[in-house]
Amino acid sequence: MTALLVDDVDSAVALLRAGGLVAVPTETVYGLAADATNPAALARIFEVKQRPRNHPLILHIAGIDEMSRWAQDVTTWAQHLAENCWPGPLTLVLNRTAAVDDVVTGGQSTVALRVPASPLLSEMLLKLGTAVAAPSANRYGRVSPTTAEHVVTGIGAALNPVTDGVLDGGACSVGVESTIVDATGERPRLLRPGALSTQMVTDITGLAVEHSDGSIRASGMHEVHYTPDAAVVVTEAADLAAVVAKLRKVNATMRIGLLAVPDGRGGIPDDLYPLTLATTVNELAADLYAALHAADDLGMETVVAVLPAPTGIGHAVRDRLLRAAGARAT
Ligand code: TXA
Ligand code: MG
């Protein structure tokens, strides 16, 4: 673990300048960063993640002033949204400029941009003086990392301890990936739910939010994603006891982890192992991926996840749980 850990921003900047990869803390999840202007470093992101080359990457910039270097034709509403939400868990898909490397966009005419709200990363971006491209720092299809330790466990073996690093910024506060909004049209279109809800987007822009038809390539939008080794079974709260009884019928001794926020109704089966101490949906979001990682560390065969109500960040948590279970979000 220790060989990859970088404990200061200057070392992280030096590694990136030399063409290395650095896993960085954001408020959502850890990203695997490369200098956005270094094609060879960008290409390695895909190798380390084992991610298909045609899945575009998000550019992380230090501030809104840098938007014009990478994006053009920014509408008034998109500018307004960025001004209100950055730094924060919002990614805007915009028309790209020629400055954006083709490896970043997967050949598309658009680029995804965000200003992360993480003091360490902000400082790193300012010192680096350019953008970094950073997907979540997990192997393709697996659970995203929310601690430096998750990164090391998940992709550490594919990183080079001399040329790459992991900048440890502690646990991520939001815990699920940014809300992605396609801002290339007249109205906002939601490509991935996150902490910034569609209601907030509407409140800020005064525009109704359209929902993606799934035709845009977005790796997080595949049906099966965010998967731990344990099988994930999702249920509404009211059906929990019946779902557990059914699982027990198939295998009476199976180790089952529970992912749920207490709803005050009690009645949680006592032969389940609680994977989180979260008591609110925001705490559940922050703890979600750590709990899925823990399920594997603890050798759980199955995780039963109670879907939170679809309000606020509950949408994003439901979406990630349904994908972890291999079901389509509704
Ligand atoms: O919170 C986050 O967004 C985290 C942290 C590290 O910033 N990043 C993240 O990156 O989740 P990644 O690569 O795991 O997911 C980015 C998503 C992918 O589904 C990708 O396909 C989509 O953004 N994306 C990137 N560029 C795009 C574009 N031009 N058009 C549509 N989707 C795009
Ligand atoms: Mg990802």
Side-chain angles (χ1 to χ4, degrees), residues 49 51 136 138 144 177 219 225:
K49 275 188 65 88
R51 165 152 150 166
S136 52
N138 52 283
S144 300
E177 298 83 350
S219 72
H225 214 84

Side-chain angles (χ1 to χ4, degrees), residues 24-25 32 39 49 94 108 118 122 132 177 188 208 210 290:
V24 291
L32 182 62
K49 275 188 65 88
L94 298 158
Q108 300 192 60
S118 147
S122 302
V132 295
E177 298 83 350
E210 294 171 9

Side-chain angles (χ1 to χ4, degrees), residues 35-220:
D35 177 339
T37 61
N38 183 332
L42 293 169
R44 269 196 66 228
I45 290 180
F46 293 89
E47 277 167 37
V48 168
K49 275 188 65 88
Q50 297 171 14
R51 165 152 150 166
R53 283 288 202 123
N54 59 359
H55 287 263
L57 306 174
I58 296 176
L59 285 191
H60 295 64
I61 54 178
I64 195 165
D65 298 347
E66 287 181 31
M67 190 160 49
S68 59
R69 178 167 170 204
W70 312 102
Q72 56 193 349
D73 318 323
V74 180
T75 61
T76 314
W77 69 258
Q79 181 75 29
H80 190 58
L81 193 57
E83 279 164 10
N84 277 270
C85 300
W86 284 348
L90 165 72
T91 294
L92 288 176
V93 171
L94 298 158
N95 289 320
R96 61 180 280 195
T97 63
V100 182
D101 198 286
D102 277 333
V103 182
V104 170
T105 66
Q108 300 192 60
S109 58
T110 54
V111 64
L113 283 188
R114 100 177 185 91
V115 178
S118 147
L120 266 188
L121 183 52
S122 302
E123 189 190 337
M124 193 196 85
L125 289 169
L126 283 171
K127 284 189 168 161
L128 184 66
T130 188
V132 295
S136 52
N138 52 283
R139 261 181 35 230
Y140 181 65
R142 303 309 298 262
V143 179
S144 300
T146 51
T147 65
E149 199 180 352
H150 294 158
V151 176
V152 174
T153 310
I155 58 168
L159 294 173
N160 180 327
V162 178
T163 58
D164 304 325
V166 177
L167 183 61
D168 190 351
C172 303
S173 58
V174 173
V176 291
E177 298 83 350
S178 60
T179 304
I180 305 183
V181 172
D182 178 352
T184 58
E186 281 174 20
R187 290 212 254 136
R189 204 155 62 91
L190 182 73
L191 299 183
R192 181 176 69 186
L196 183 77
S197 67
T198 50
Q199 186 58 52
M200 285 152 94
V201 174
T202 294
D203 289 348
I204 292 164
T205 61
L207 298 168
V209 177
E210 294 171 9
H211 286 258
S212 174
D213 61 5
S215 63
I216 290 218
R217 283 198 295 266
S219 72

Side-chain angles (χ1 to χ4, degrees), residues 11-13 22 44 51 59 107 167 188 190 194 220 258 272 275 285 311 318:
S11 306
V13 168
V22 178
R44 269 196 66 228
R51 165 152 150 166
L59 285 191
L167 183 61
L190 182 73
L258 176 68
L272 304 191
L275 293 168
T311 54
R318 286 177 75 94

